[in-house]
């Protein structure tokens, strides 16, 4: 699996995969991988927490840093919906209607 900067991946989820050197920022909540440019922005902003990093890379109410690690696997017994689902999204029914 190719690792990408989490901020860059939010802008182009299926886009061109460039292999820049990634910087791992470790927080109690999780580890975030950033490209050199985004890591430098976080460093200059003196981000010290995961919430601060999410706030820094935010557009309106949406953060470009997801709460869950996109590389993580669901724990046994826990079912996760597909990426991108929100609580306000309507799930299709078994008959295919929404």
């Amino acid at each position: 699996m190719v690792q990408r900067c989490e901020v860059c991946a939010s802008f182009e989820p299926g886009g061109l995969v460039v292999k820049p050197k990634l910087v791992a920022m470790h927080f109690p909540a999780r580890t975030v991988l950033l490209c050199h440019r985004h890591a430098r922005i976080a460093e200059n902003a003196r981000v010290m927490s995961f919430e601060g990093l999410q706030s820094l890379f935010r557009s309106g109410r949406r953060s470009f840093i997801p709460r869950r690690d996109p590389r993580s696997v669901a724990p046994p017994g826990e079912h996760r919906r597909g990426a991108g689902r929100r609580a306000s999204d309507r799930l299709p029914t078994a008959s295919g209607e929404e």
Side-chain angles (χ1 to χ4, degrees), residues 65-96:
I65 306 285
R67 284 184 298 238
R68 288 192 182 124
D69 189 341
R71 299 171 306 276
S72 71
V73 178
E78 182 180 319
H79 174 72
R80 292 187 184 163
R81 295 181 186 179
R85 291 273 183 198
R86 292 184 177 88
S88 61
D89 288 349
R90 292 179 54 194
L91 295 174
T93 61
S95 63

Side-chain angles (χ1 to χ4, degrees), residues 1-78:
M1 180 166 125
V2 177
Q3 293 182 335
R4 297 178 62 190
C5 169
E6 294 184 36
V7 176
C8 293
S10 292
F11 289 111
E12 299 218 13
L16 178 65
V17 177
V18 181
K19 295 183 180 180
K21 184 175 181 180
L22 296 176
V23 176
M25 294 187 73
H26 303 284
F27 300 104
R30 71 180 190 87
T31 299
V32 179
L33 293 177
L34 298 175
C35 65
H36 187 266
R37 291 182 328 182
H38 289 118
R40 186 68 178 240
I41 291 169
E43 179 185 2
N44 289 341
R46 294 191 171 98
V47 172
M48 301 302 290
S49 68
F50 178 70
E51 292 77 16
L53 187 67
Q54 279 190 307
S55 180
L56 179 64
F57 294 111
R58 178 177 304 276
S59 175
R61 292 180 51 193
R62 181 177 182 267
S63 176
F64 296 115
I65 306 285
R67 284 184 298 238
R68 288 192 182 124
D69 189 341
R71 299 171 306 276
S72 71
V73 178
E78 182 180 319

